[in-house]
């Protein structure tokens, strides 16, 4: 367990390859674009420690300070900087991670004071994890673009060369060959990345259009990182996605077809996880990926029921979905990991309008409760839809294809004079073919 240093001098046993986490408890203050009105410094540092572990690092100590507002020069006070410098020098600490978003001048001033120590912030650590886990070509381009836009302005400290993005926590990504050139070259690289991603986004839109033509409802699996989204997709579809007990183990969206108990097919898409204070450049770079939630017909918000912070994580997820413009869709709240949670299951509060939200309790590992989840999805999909029998004259056989394109066809019976078709239709389709409706069941 790392030492928590709070307004005290500290002397620790010398260890190498360790990092110090630093946070400021600002109470109800705000810092930059982030609202810290409900900021719990210890819980936030717990999450930062998990992020560091995912990146391959280990926490040696924590340093916290209570201030009404962060110091504009060094984030923490001058005395704390001296204490931090002594701690790093005495224990051969080479990395300090701040639980905030530092300005370029703050990084420069801190590195000047701390000596031979690399200073990164929370956003840089998250970007580093994305670089570590990016697998596909698109994912790597998205990460590189986000890193260049966010990190390059912060590399001016101590005369540090741009090749700092080369090896180690907070330094993964594009590499020396792309960053040792001047800023004009970097701007050209950013423009090239944006052009490549624009082409990939057009391809993704083409794929979405193709899926739309299939008339299969699209369901996006969203939620806080490490809530079990990929495990759930694997359970339903045998997608074979790598599942790890790490933050941001999945970056690239994966779509698979799932047949519901009623026989109707849907498309399930696993998406990148959310986290509090997700870097703005990362959201912009991953826009085409995050748009899977925007274009979905239904959202499944997966929540770790065993995490005591589940309410905050739901709030973060809902806020990001709102910023993406995807908060107006039918939604099911899926409390996962109920097999490992406490005896008392978490309760989902009603919405702002007092309406009770859809909540299902499952275990994506054992399958417990997944039957109720499928029933809930069927209920949402079939809301307003009814089993309808159409009777087409033989001369109107082409209308059968219209039904295949716009409804779920269960049965087609070709008679001598008429074609009888049973299909699940919505009001729009029933109105469009009203003169051929024989029965609505």
């Amino acid at each position: 367990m790392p030492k928590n240093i709070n307004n005290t001098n500290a002397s620790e046993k010398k260890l190498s390859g360790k990092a110090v986490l630093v946070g400021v408890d600002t109470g109800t203050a705000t810092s930059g674009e982030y609202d810290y009105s409900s900021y719990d410094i210890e819980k936030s540092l717990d999450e930062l420690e998990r992020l560091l572990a995912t990146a391959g690092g280990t926490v040696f100590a924590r340093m916290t300070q209570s201030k009404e507002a962060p110091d504009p020069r060094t984030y923490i006070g001058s005395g704390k900087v001296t204490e931090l410098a002594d701690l790093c020098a005495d224990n051969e600490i080479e990395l300090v991670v701040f639980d905030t978003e530092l300005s370029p001048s703050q990084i420069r001033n801190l590195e000047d004071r701390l000596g031979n120590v690399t200073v990164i912030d929370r956003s840089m650590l998250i970007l580093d994890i994305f670089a570590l886990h990016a697998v596909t070509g698109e994912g790597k381009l998205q990460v590189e673009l986000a890193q260049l836009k966010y990190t390059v302005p912060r590399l001016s400290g101590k005369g540090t060369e741009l090749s700092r993005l080369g090896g180690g926590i907070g330094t993964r990504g594009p590499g020396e060959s792309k960053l040792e050139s001047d800023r004009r070259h970097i701007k050209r690289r950013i423009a090239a990345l944006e052009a490549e991603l624009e082409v990939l986004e057009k391809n993704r839109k083409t794929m979405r259009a193709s899926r739309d033509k299939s008339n299969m409802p699209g369901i996006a699996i969203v939620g806080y990182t490490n809530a079990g989204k990929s495990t759930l997709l694997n359970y339903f579809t045998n997608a074979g996605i790598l599942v790890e007990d790490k933050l941001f183990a999945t970056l690239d969206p994966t779509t698979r077809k799932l047949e519901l108990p009623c026989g109707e097919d849907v498309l399930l898409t696993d998406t990148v996880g959310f986290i509090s204070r997700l870097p703005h450049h990362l959201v912009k770079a991953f826009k085409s990926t995050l748009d899977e939630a925007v274009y979905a017909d239904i959202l499944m918000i997966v929540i770790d029921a065993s995490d005591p912070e589940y309410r905050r994580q739901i709030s973060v997820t809902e806020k990001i979905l709102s910023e993406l413009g995807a908060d107006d869709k039918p939604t099911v709240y899926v409390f996962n990991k109920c097999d490992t949670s406490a005896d008392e299951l978490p309760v989902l509060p009603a919405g702002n309008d007092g309406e009770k939200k859809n909540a299902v309790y499952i275990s994506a590992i054992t399958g417990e409760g997944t039957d109720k989840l499928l029933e809930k999805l069927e209920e949402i999909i079939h809301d307003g839809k009814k089993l309808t029998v159409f009777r087409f004259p033989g001369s109107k056989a082409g209308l059968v294809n219209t039904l295949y394109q716009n409804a779920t066809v269960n049965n087609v019976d070709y008679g001598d004079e008429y074609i009888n078709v049973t299909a699940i239709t919505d009001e729009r389709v029933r109105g469009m073919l009203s003169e051929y409706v024989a029965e609505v069941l």
Side-chain angles (χ1 to χ4, degrees), residues 16 23 83 118 146 149 162 194 252 256 315 339 392 416 431 434:
S16 60
E83 183 181 339
T118 298
K149 285 190 170 183
L162 292 178
E194 289 176 334
D252 301 295
R256 293 290 185 272
S315 177
D339 53 322
F392 301 119
D416 292 335
S434 59

Side-chain angles (χ1 to χ4, degrees), residues 385-390 403-404 406-412 420-426 429-430 439 441:
K385 292 185 177 181
K386 296 181 180 179
L387 192 62
T388 309
V389 179
F390 295 90
L403 277 180
Y404 272 111
N406 295 277
T408 301
V409 176
N410 289 354
N411 184 65
V412 180
N420 294 310
V421 182
T422 303
I424 299 173
T425 64
D426 56 24
V429 174
R430 289 194 299 274
E439 186 179 7
L441 304 176

Side-chain angles (χ1 to χ4, degrees), residues 288-315:
S288 63
T289 301
L290 293 170
D291 274 350
E292 292 294 339
V294 176
Y295 291 106
D297 299 298
I298 300 171
L299 297 179
M300 281 199 298
I301 296 181
V302 181
I303 306 139
D304 183 350
S306 66
D307 195 319
E309 288 289 286
Y310 76 90
R311 286 181 181 271
R312 180 183 63 82
Q313 294 174 1
I314 292 174
S315 177

Side-chain angles (χ1 to χ4, degrees), residues 24-312:
V24 170
D25 190 352
T26 56
T28 59
T30 59
S31 176
E33 64 179 299
Y34 302 126
D35 181 5
Y36 287 84
S37 57
S38 59
Y39 181 69
D40 185 315
I41 190 167
E42 291 303 328
K43 290 178 180 177
S44 187
L45 287 177
D46 286 343
E47 184 169 82
L48 190 66
E49 183 170 347
R50 292 186 64 201
L51 286 167
L52 183 65
T54 299
T58 305
V59 176
F60 172 72
R62 294 180 176 185
M63 176 174 285
T64 64
Q65 184 176 34
S66 296
K67 287 175 67 69
E68 290 185 1
D71 189 302
R73 295 164 301 175
T74 53
Y75 186 67
I76 53 177
S78 180
K80 271 293 180 182
V81 176
T82 300
E83 183 181 339
L84 179 59
D86 291 341
L87 175 67
C88 293
D90 292 343
N91 297 279
E92 300 177 0
I93 302 296
E94 297 179 351
L95 176 67
V96 175
V97 187
F98 281 75
D99 190 32
T100 187
E101 184 174 300
L102 297 173
S103 68
S105 62
Q106 285 174 328
I107 292 179
R108 181 174 64 252
N109 293 335
L110 284 164
E111 291 190 334
D112 285 342
R113 292 281 302 274
L114 297 179
N116 192 28
V117 175
T118 298
V119 174
I120 66 172
D121 59 22
R122 178 186 175 90
S123 295
M124 293 165 72
L125 180 58
I126 293 174
L127 288 167
D128 183 83
I129 294 169
F130 271 58
L132 181 65
H133 290 171
V135 176
T136 65
E138 182 178 11
K140 291 177 180 178
L141 290 175
Q142 289 169 324
V143 172
E144 182 180 349
L145 177 61
Q147 284 188 314
L148 284 172
K149 285 190 170 183
Y150 185 82
T151 312
V152 170
R154 291 164 169 80
L155 296 181
S156 57
K158 298 190 312 180
T160 306
E161 296 179 3
L162 292 178
S163 60
R164 170 174 158 177
L165 290 183
I169 297 172
T171 66
R172 267 185 284 259
E176 294 182 357
S177 62
K178 293 193 180 84
L179 291 179
E180 285 177 343
S181 304
D182 59 22
R183 293 184 181 275
R184 283 181 298 176
H185 171 77
I186 295 171
K187 288 181 180 178
R188 287 195 297 270
R189 179 61 185 164
I190 288 175
L193 288 169
E194 289 176 334
E196 289 184 68
L197 286 171
E198 186 176 345
V199 172
L200 291 172
E201 184 171 0
K202 288 180 180 178
N203 293 339
R204 190 179 293 280
K205 286 181 179 178
T206 302
M207 292 173 62
R208 288 197 192 104
S210 178
R211 295 205 303 255
D212 290 342
K213 288 181 181 179
S214 70
N215 205 45
M216 284 187 281
I219 302 173
I221 307 174
V222 300
Y224 213 75
T225 180
N226 204 38
K229 298 181 295 298
S230 298
T231 303
L232 182 59
L233 183 66
N234 283 343
Y235 178 83
F236 278 139
T237 67
N238 295 315
I241 300 174
L242 176 65
V243 174
E244 295 182 283
D245 186 20
K246 292 182 177 180
L247 304 182
F248 301 114
T250 303
L251 292 185
D252 301 295
T254 301
T255 301
R256 293 290 185 272
K257 185 168 71 173
L258 169 67
E259 183 179 339
L260 297 176
C262 66
E264 187 169 359
D265 289 332
V266 297
L267 292 173
L268 284 183
T269 300
D270 183 24
T271 62
V272 62
F274 300 150
I275 197 168
S276 59
R277 291 173 279 156
L278 192 64
H280 178 67
H281 286 305
L282 202 56
V283 173
K284 289 188 68 176
F286 276 74
K287 183 182 183 301
S288 63
T289 301
L290 293 170
D291 274 350
E292 292 294 339
V294 176
Y295 291 106
D297 299 298
I298 300 171
L299 297 179
M300 281 199 298
I301 296 181
V302 181
I303 306 139
D304 183 350
S306 66
D307 195 319
E309 288 289 286
Y310 76 90
R311 286 181 181 271
R312 180 183 63 82

